[in-house]
Amino acid sequence: DGDDPDPSEDASSKYFLADKSSPWWAVAASLFASNIGAEHFVGLAGVACFSGVAVGFYEWGAVICLLVLGYLFLPVYVNASLSTMPEYMARRYSAGCGQVVVYLSLALYVLTKIAATLFAGELILAEVSHMPAWASVLCLILGTAAYTLVGGLKAVIYTEALQTVVLFIGGFALLGVSLAEVGGLHTFIRDSEPPAGQPYYFKIFRPFDDADFPFTGFLTGYFLTSLWYWCSDQVITQRVIAARDRIEHARGGCVGASYLKLLPGFIMVVPGMIARELMTREGVLDTNSPRSDYDRAFTWLVLNCMPINLRGLLIASMISALMSSLASVFNSCATIMALDVYKKHRPAGTVSERELVWVGRATVVVVAGLSMAWLPVIPLLGDQLFVWIQKPPSYFAPPIFSAYLWGALSSKVSARGAGWSLAVGLSVGLLRFLLEIAHETEVLALRGGAGLAAAFVEANFLHFSLLNFLLSSAVLFAASCVGKPAPAPEARLLFHWRLYGQIRRRGGASVYERTEEMELVRLNDSQQLQGGGSDKEEGE
């Protein structure tokens, strides 16, 4: 019968957005698990082993970023009924701005998230199972892609919820065992001396000229890059957009994830610091050891300190974190490629829902292949994995976040301003990225000189993030004021205090529901009250 519904009618919504039915606890676990990957076990613990507790700020500072997502950006995204982040840029500014975000996101996923996760997974499996590098990477990709390709976001979210439980059980087990090895946390801090050349080993906030983590960088550039990641990156926002129909489930997921983000600083950073003392005691590390050797800290603890019957639990927790992080990025790549590239470049009405799903699956295969090709380059680009993967976002994210932030808060910025801002900000970031690669691979010797190029490359990456954000914001507002006034943006794409009211979806659109908080909002004469009052405000 011609009136029967097409069984694939909502296929893309179910595959890419889990049919917008995820409960808050699943959203919270998925937000956490999609962020915590093998690069944290290898990289976070490795940096803590080498330079101390300061790297834990990357986890603790995320608490603020998740709350900003839940209370500032999330109401805008839900009210605008978004499916992807490039869609916001296309509607708020122009289709060109949306396409810039699409291709930049895919590039960053390949260069940092996917490649770093595979590289860290390769190190873990090589250490614990002595598998050849190519075999370990292939097993990880095949295992993760299997449930990502078949089940879509819903399979990813619920698998991540289970993997979060495994991760915490394994993490706290290792924390307990490692603390027992040094007589407890109090004894460890009391009896330990900062390693040679690391006077701030036990301090979070460090001087302005610290090579990796100056306090000024933490208070400025760190938050700019992290707010981009937590508030406008597809991997994260796709999970909150997929929450159940009321905004409370999405916001509850953000709040729940913010509590979970307090824990990696203890279950990864503290064991990493303890590993340095134990590895030095055993002669595994000394003052002449290269920084890359410190990335072995977490796996060394697992193989040398954990009881044999618990090692499998720790290995399972690391592989769980690896697969959940990888699956999240795979699904996000599939989403933006299918909905923001393929669908936009096909004539309207000619693309079926089932076709979009298959385009997403093909994207996963292509992105995985590109990431594998990038793996041999990663060791050439820096001494420690975690520090390196923070750098590309610090160079490219500030102009993107500037466009999202001011686009949501101000109606004054226009497509013209956004175009110029992205062009200038991304060009400056690309120049820094290429010069740093040239220096690290010894193509050019730039550091240590007195020229402008040396100062440009030597600036701490967190400080550079702040400068690029300020430059991009200035260009955004300046270019928006030039020429003919731009048409007013769509109201649903701007933040308004009344968005603190409840929002729910009806037939694919988002509508307000009246709450007590909304009584504080002065309604214009043309707006209708939703209660049983008069149609206009009186007495003022």
Side-chain angles (χ1 to χ4, degrees):
D1 181 63
D3 295 330
D4 289 341
D6 183 354
S8 66
E9 182 178 354
D10 296 321
S12 64
S13 176
K14 292 178 180 178
Y15 186 82
F16 297 120
L17 297 176
D19 208 22
K20 297 183 179 179
S21 61
S22 303
W24 71 270
W25 56 267
V27 173
S30 183
L31 284 171
F32 176 80
S34 61
N35 168 246
I36 298 295
E39 72 274 15
H40 284 73
F41 285 100
V42 172
L44 195 68
V47 173
C49 181
F50 178 79
S51 64
V53 70
V55 71
F57 192 83
Y58 272 88
E59 303 303 308
W60 300 318
V63 172
I64 296 175
C65 300
L66 278 160
L67 296 179
V68 173
L69 169 63
Y71 287 91
L72 174 61
F73 287 96
L74 173 65
V76 176
Y77 297 158
V78 174
N79 188 50
S81 301
L82 297 178
S83 297
T84 67
M85 289 301 95
E87 180 187 351
Y88 179 86
M89 293 289 282
R91 289 169 57 183
R92 177 61 181 86
Y93 298 115
S94 67
C97 292
Q99 292 299 297
V100 168
V101 174
V102 167
Y103 295 113
L104 180 62
S105 297
L106 292 173
L108 287 175
Y109 292 155
V110 170
L111 295 177
T112 59
K113 193 67 174 175
I114 301 176
T117 300
L118 292 176
F119 183 77
E122 175 186 317
L123 295 179
I124 291 172
L125 291 178
E127 191 86 15
V128 302
S129 67
H130 307 292
M131 294 178 63
W134 66 268
S136 60
V137 171
L138 187 61
C139 288
L140 292 172
I141 289 178
L142 292 177
T144 305
Y147 68 85
T148 306
L149 290 172
V150 175
L153 184 60
K154 181 171 287 190
V156 171
I157 286 179
Y158 284 100
T159 304
E160 286 174 339
L162 176 61
Q163 289 167 336
T164 298
V165 176
V166 176
L167 189 155
F168 278 130
I169 293 174
F172 279 110
L174 183 62
L175 176 63
V177 169
S178 59
L179 286 173
E181 290 284 336
V182 293
L185 182 61
H186 176 71
T187 302
F188 172 66
I189 296 175
R190 182 193 64 197
D191 297 342
S192 298
E193 293 291 333
Q198 297 287 346
Y200 304 104
Y201 196 76
F202 293 99
K203 297 183 182 297
I204 295 177
F205 294 106
R206 300 177 176 185
F208 171 84
D209 58 353
D210 187 82
D212 291 326
F213 307 121
F215 82 95
T216 47
F218 273 161
L219 298 180
T220 55
Y222 161 79
F223 280 108
L224 294 173
T225 305
S226 293
L227 284 170
W228 160 79
Y229 173 74
W230 288 105
C231 299
S232 59
D233 185 63
Q234 181 67 23
V235 171
I236 298 300
T237 56
Q238 189 171 350
R239 275 131 191 82
V240 295
I241 292 174
R244 283 183 181 169
D245 58 353
R246 291 180 183 273
I247 197 173
E248 285 85 351
H249 279 277
R251 185 172 286 160
C254 295
V255 174
S258 69
Y259 281 105
L260 295 179
K261 285 297 288 180
L262 294 171
L263 301 178
F266 300 100
I267 65 176
M268 296 178 189
V269 173
V270 173
M273 297 172 66
I274 292 173
R276 178 163 187 157
E277 179 167 320
L278 298 178
M279 294 170 76
T280 302
R281 186 188 304 170
E282 296 293 327
V284 179
L285 292 176
D286 57 38
T287 55
N288 296 320
S289 297
R291 286 188 66 168
S292 57
D293 283 1
Y294 292 84
D295 282 342
R296 298 173 51 205
F298 204 92
T299 52
W300 187 91
L301 284 176
V302 171
L303 296 177
N304 293 275
C305 297
M306 288 295 290
I308 294 178
N309 57 343
L310 289 179
R311 289 178 189 173
L313 176 64
L314 263 297
I315 294 171
S317 68
M318 289 190 287
I319 294 177
S320 293
L322 187 155
M323 294 180 69
S324 63
S325 178
L326 206 55
S328 300
V329 185
F330 279 166
N331 189 263
S332 296
C333 289
T335 302
I336 61 177
M337 180 58 72
L339 301 184
D340 290 306
V341 178
Y342 186 80
K343 187 177 181 179
K344 295 286 173 56
H345 288 82
R346 294 292 301 276
T350 63
V351 182
S352 69
E353 300 291 316
R354 199 180 300 275
E355 185 178 350
L356 290 175
V357 171
W358 279 106
V359 169
R361 289 170 174 165
T363 300
V364 171
V365 176
V366 173
V367 168
L370 292 174
S371 301
M372 291 180 65
W374 181 250
L375 288 179
V377 182
I378 291 180
L380 305 176
L381 300 178
D383 294 325
Q384 284 199 288
L385 177 66
F386 190 80
V387 175
W388 166 248
I389 63 175
Q390 305 306 320
K391 289 183 176 180
S394 296
Y395 304 152
F396 296 110
I400 300 292
F401 179 65
S402 171
Y404 277 107
L405 178 65
W406 301 123
L409 294 180
S410 174
S411 61
K412 304 297 183 183
V413 294
S414 66
R416 183 191 308 107
W420 278 103
S421 175
L422 292 175
V424 172
L426 293 177
S427 297
V428 171
L430 179 62
L431 178 61
R432 166 66 187 254
F433 180 68
L434 294 177
L435 288 176
E436 183 151 352
I437 289 178
H439 176 79
E440 295 290 351
T441 55
E442 300 182 352
V443 174
L444 294 175
L446 297 173
R447 289 181 178 157
L452 182 62
F456 185 73
V457 174
E458 286 181 344
N460 182 274
F461 65 96
L462 295 175
H463 292 155
F464 181 87
S465 181
L466 171 64
L467 296 175
N468 201 3
F469 175 80
L470 294 176
L471 173 64
S472 301
S473 298
V475 172
L476 176 62
F477 279 95
S480 296
C481 295
V482 176
K484 296 187 298 183
E490 188 179 343
R492 296 168 65 189
L493 301 174
L494 297 171
F495 177 79
H496 193 283
W497 290 109
R498 64 178 176 164
L499 290 180
Y500 280 121
Q502 295 176 347
I503 300 175
R504 62 189 178 120
R505 299 184 181 92
R506 284 182 187 162
S510 298
V511 296
Y512 298 118
E513 287 186 341
R514 191 160 180 250
T515 65
E516 292 183 2
E517 289 90 339
M518 289 174 63
E519 294 285 358
L520 301 176
V521 179
R522 181 190 298 272
L523 298 177
N524 296 326
D525 289 346
S526 60
Q527 292 177 302
Q528 299 284 326
L529 292 177
Q530 298 183 22
S534 63
D535 288 343
K536 297 182 179 180
E537 290 185 313
E538 297 178 359
E540 293 190 292

Coordinates of all heavy atoms in Angstrom, one line a residue, residues 13-14 16-28 30 153-158 160 238-253 505:
S13 N 18.1 9.6 11.7 CA 18.0 10.1 13.1 C 18.4 9.0 14.1 O 19.1 9.3 15.1 CB 16.6 10.6 13.3 OG 16.4 11.0 14.6
K14 N 18.0 7.8 13.9 CA 18.3 6.7 14.8 C 19.8 6.4 14.7 O 20.4 6.1 15.8 CB 17.5 5.5 14.4 CG 16.0 5.6 14.7 CD 15.2 4.4 14.3 CE 13.7 4.5 14.6 NZ 13.0 3.4 14.2
F16 N 22.4 8.4 13.6 CA 23.3 9.4 14.0 C 23.0 10.1 15.3 O 23.9 10.7 15.9 CB 23.3 10.5 12.9 CG 23.8 10.0 11.5 CD1 23.0 10.1 10.4 CD2 25.1 9.5 11.4 CE1 23.5 9.6 9.2 CE2 25.6 9.0 10.2 CZ 24.7 9.1 9.1
L17 N 21.7 10.1 15.7 CA 21.4 10.8 16.9 C 20.6 9.9 17.9 O 20.0 10.4 18.9 CB 20.5 12.0 16.6 CG 21.1 13.1 15.8 CD1 20.1 14.2 15.4 CD2 22.3 13.7 16.5
A18 N 20.7 8.6 17.8 CA 20.2 7.6 18.7 C 18.7 7.9 18.9 O 18.1 7.6 20.0 CB 20.9 7.7 20.1
D19 N 18.0 8.4 17.9 CA 16.6 8.7 17.9 C 16.2 9.7 19.0 O 15.1 9.8 19.5 CB 15.8 7.4 18.1 CG 14.4 7.5 17.5 OD1 14.2 8.3 16.6 OD2 13.5 6.7 18.0
K20 N 17.2 10.5 19.5 CA 17.0 11.5 20.5 C 16.3 10.9 21.7 O 15.3 11.5 22.2 CB 16.3 12.7 19.9 CG 17.1 13.4 18.8 CD 16.4 14.6 18.3 CE 17.2 15.3 17.2 NZ 16.5 16.5 16.6
S21 N 16.7 9.8 22.2 CA 16.0 9.1 23.3 C 17.0 8.7 24.4 O 16.6 7.9 25.3 CB 15.4 7.8 22.7 OG 16.3 6.9 22.2
S22 N 18.2 9.2 24.5 CA 19.1 8.8 25.5 C 18.8 9.4 26.8 O 18.6 10.6 26.9 CB 20.6 9.1 25.1 OG 20.9 8.6 23.8
P23 N 18.8 8.6 27.9 CA 18.6 9.2 29.3 C 19.8 9.9 29.8 O 20.9 9.8 29.3 CB 18.3 8.0 30.1 CG 19.0 6.9 29.4 CD 18.9 7.2 28.0
W24 N 19.6 10.7 30.8 CA 20.7 11.6 31.3 C 21.9 10.8 31.8 O 23.1 11.2 31.5 CB 20.2 12.5 32.4 CG 20.0 11.8 33.7 CD1 18.8 11.2 34.1 CD2 20.9 11.5 34.7 NE1 19.0 10.6 35.3 CE2 20.3 10.8 35.8 CE3 22.3 11.8 34.9 CZ2 20.9 10.3 36.9 CZ3 22.9 11.4 36.1 CH2 22.3 10.7 37.0
W25 N 21.7 9.7 32.4 CA 22.9 8.9 32.9 C 23.7 8.3 31.8 O 24.9 8.3 31.9 CB 22.4 7.8 33.9 CG 21.4 6.8 33.3 CD1 20.0 6.9 33.3 CD2 21.7 5.7 32.5 NE1 19.5 5.8 32.6 CE2 20.5 5.1 32.1 CE3 22.9 5.1 32.1 CZ2 20.4 3.9 31.4 CZ3 22.8 3.9 31.3 CH2 21.6 3.3 31.0
A26 N 23.0 7.9 30.7 CA 23.8 7.4 29.5 C 24.5 8.6 28.8 O 25.6 8.4 28.3 CB 22.8 6.8 28.5
V27 N 23.9 9.8 28.8 CA 24.6 10.9 28.2 C 25.8 11.3 29.0 O 26.9 11.5 28.5 CB 23.6 12.1 28.1 CG1 24.3 13.4 27.7 CG2 22.5 11.8 27.2
A28 N 25.7 11.3 30.4 CA 26.8 11.6 31.2 C 28.0 10.6 31.0 O 29.1 11.0 30.8 CB 26.4 11.6 32.7
S30 N 28.5 8.7 28.4 CA 29.0 8.8 27.1 C 29.9 10.0 26.9 O 30.9 9.9 26.2 CB 27.8 8.8 26.1 OG 28.3 8.8 24.8
L153 N 24.9 5.6 16.8 CA 25.1 6.4 18.0 C 24.5 5.7 19.2 O 25.1 5.7 20.3 CB 24.6 7.8 17.9 CG 24.9 8.7 19.1 CD1 26.4 8.8 19.3 CD2 24.3 10.1 19.0
K154 N 23.3 5.0 19.1 CA 22.7 4.4 20.2 C 23.6 3.3 20.7 O 23.9 3.1 21.9 CB 21.4 3.8 19.9 CG 20.6 3.1 21.0 CD 19.2 2.8 20.7 CE 18.3 4.0 20.7 NZ 16.9 3.7 20.6
A155 N 24.2 2.5 19.8 CA 25.1 1.4 20.2 C 26.3 2.0 20.9 O 26.8 1.5 21.9 CB 25.5 0.5 19.0
V156 N 26.8 3.1 20.4 CA 28.0 3.7 20.9 C 27.7 4.2 22.3 O 28.5 4.0 23.2 CB 28.5 4.9 20.0 CG1 29.6 5.7 20.7 CG2 29.0 4.4 18.7
I157 N 26.6 4.9 22.5 CA 26.3 5.5 23.8 C 26.2 4.5 24.9 O 26.8 4.6 26.0 CB 25.1 6.4 23.7 CG1 25.4 7.7 23.0 CG2 24.5 6.7 25.1 CD1 24.2 8.6 22.8
Y158 N 25.4 3.4 24.6 CA 25.2 2.4 25.7 C 26.4 1.6 25.9 O 26.7 1.1 27.0 CB 24.0 1.6 25.3 CG 22.7 2.3 25.6 CD1 22.0 2.9 24.6 CD2 22.2 2.5 26.9 CE1 20.8 3.6 24.8 CE2 21.0 3.2 27.2 CZ 20.3 3.7 26.1 OH 19.2 4.5 26.4
E160 N 29.4 2.8 25.7 CA 30.3 3.7 26.5 C 29.9 3.7 27.9 O 30.7 3.9 28.8 CB 30.3 5.1 25.9 CG 31.0 5.2 24.6 CD 30.9 6.6 23.9 OE1 29.9 7.3 24.2 OE2 31.8 6.9 23.1
Q238 N 27.1 16.0 20.0 CA 26.2 15.0 19.4 C 25.5 14.2 20.5 O 24.4 13.7 20.4 CB 27.0 14.1 18.5 CG 26.1 13.1 17.7 CD 26.9 12.4 16.6 OE1 28.1 12.7 16.4 NE2 26.4 11.4 16.0
R239 N 26.2 14.0 21.7 CA 25.7 13.2 22.8 C 24.6 14.0 23.5 O 23.6 13.4 23.9 CB 26.8 12.8 23.7 CG 27.5 11.6 23.3 CD 29.0 11.7 23.3 NE 29.5 10.5 22.6 CZ 29.5 10.4 21.2 NH1 29.2 11.3 20.5 NH2 30.0 9.3 20.7
V240 N 24.7 15.3 23.7 CA 23.7 16.0 24.4 C 22.5 16.3 23.5 O 21.3 16.3 23.9 CB 24.2 17.3 25.0 CG1 25.3 17.1 26.1 CG2 24.8 18.2 23.9
I241 N 22.7 16.4 22.2 CA 21.6 16.6 21.2 C 20.8 15.3 21.2 O 19.6 15.4 20.9 CB 22.2 17.0 19.8 CG1 22.8 18.4 19.9 CG2 21.1 16.9 18.8 CD1 23.5 18.8 18.6
A242 N 21.4 14.2 21.4 CA 20.7 12.9 21.4 C 20.0 12.6 22.7 O 19.4 11.5 22.8 CB 21.7 11.8 21.1
A243 N 19.9 13.5 23.6 CA 19.2 13.2 24.9 C 17.7 13.2 24.7 O 17.2 13.7 23.6 CB 19.6 14.3 25.9
R244 N 17.0 12.7 25.6 CA 15.5 12.6 25.6 C 14.9 14.0 25.4 O 15.6 15.0 25.6 CB 15.0 11.9 26.8 CG 15.2 10.4 26.8 CD 14.5 9.8 28.0 NE 14.8 8.4 28.0 CZ 14.5 7.6 29.0 NH1 14.1 8.1 30.2 NH2 14.7 6.3 28.9
D245 N 13.6 14.0 25.1 CA 13.0 15.2 24.5 C 13.0 16.4 25.4 O 12.9 17.5 25.0 CB 11.6 14.9 24.1 CG 10.7 14.4 25.3 OD1 11.3 14.1 26.4 OD2 9.5 14.2 25.1
R246 N 13.2 16.3 26.7 CA 13.3 17.5 27.6 C 14.7 17.8 27.8 O 15.6 17.0 27.9 CB 12.6 17.2 28.9 CG 11.1 17.1 28.7 CD 10.4 16.9 30.1 NE 9.0 16.7 29.9 CZ 8.1 17.7 29.9 NH1 8.5 18.9 30.0 NH2 6.8 17.4 29.8
I247 N 15.0 19.1 27.9 CA 16.4 19.6 28.0 C 17.0 19.1 29.3 O 18.2 19.0 29.5 CB 16.4 21.1 27.9 CG1 17.9 21.6 27.6 CG2 15.9 21.8 29.2 CD1 18.0 23.0 27.3
E248 N 16.2 18.8 30.4 CA 16.7 18.3 31.6 C 17.6 17.1 31.5 O 18.6 16.9 32.2 CB 15.6 18.0 32.6 CG 15.0 19.2 33.2 CD 13.8 19.8 32.3 OE1 13.7 19.3 31.2 OE2 13.1 20.7 32.8
H249 N 17.3 16.2 30.6 CA 18.2 15.0 30.4 C 19.5 15.4 29.8 O 20.5 14.8 30.2 CB 17.5 14.0 29.5 CG 16.4 13.2 30.2 ND1 16.7 12.1 30.9 CD2 15.1 13.3 30.3 CE1 15.6 11.5 31.4 NE2 14.6 12.3 31.0
A250 N 19.5 16.3 28.9 CA 20.8 16.7 28.3 C 21.6 17.5 29.3 O 22.8 17.3 29.5 CB 20.5 17.6 27.1
R251 N 21.0 18.4 30.0 CA 21.7 19.2 31.0 C 22.1 18.3 32.2 O 23.2 18.5 32.7 CB 20.8 20.4 31.5 CG 21.5 21.3 32.5 CD 20.6 22.5 32.8 NE 20.5 23.4 31.6 CZ 19.5 24.3 31.4 NH1 18.5 24.3 32.3 NH2 19.5 25.1 30.4
G252 N 21.3 17.4 32.6 CA 21.7 16.4 33.6 C 22.9 15.6 33.2 O 23.7 15.3 34.0
G253 N 23.0 15.3 31.9 CA 24.1 14.6 31.4 C 25.4 15.4 31.6 O 26.5 14.9 31.9
R505 N 10.7 19.0 22.5 CA 10.5 18.9 21.1 C 9.1 18.5 20.7 O 8.5 17.6 21.4 CB 11.5 17.9 20.5 CG 12.9 18.3 20.7 CD 13.8 17.2 20.0 NE 15.2 17.5 20.2 CZ 15.9 17.0 21.1 NH1 15.4 16.2 22.0 NH2 17.2 17.3 21.3

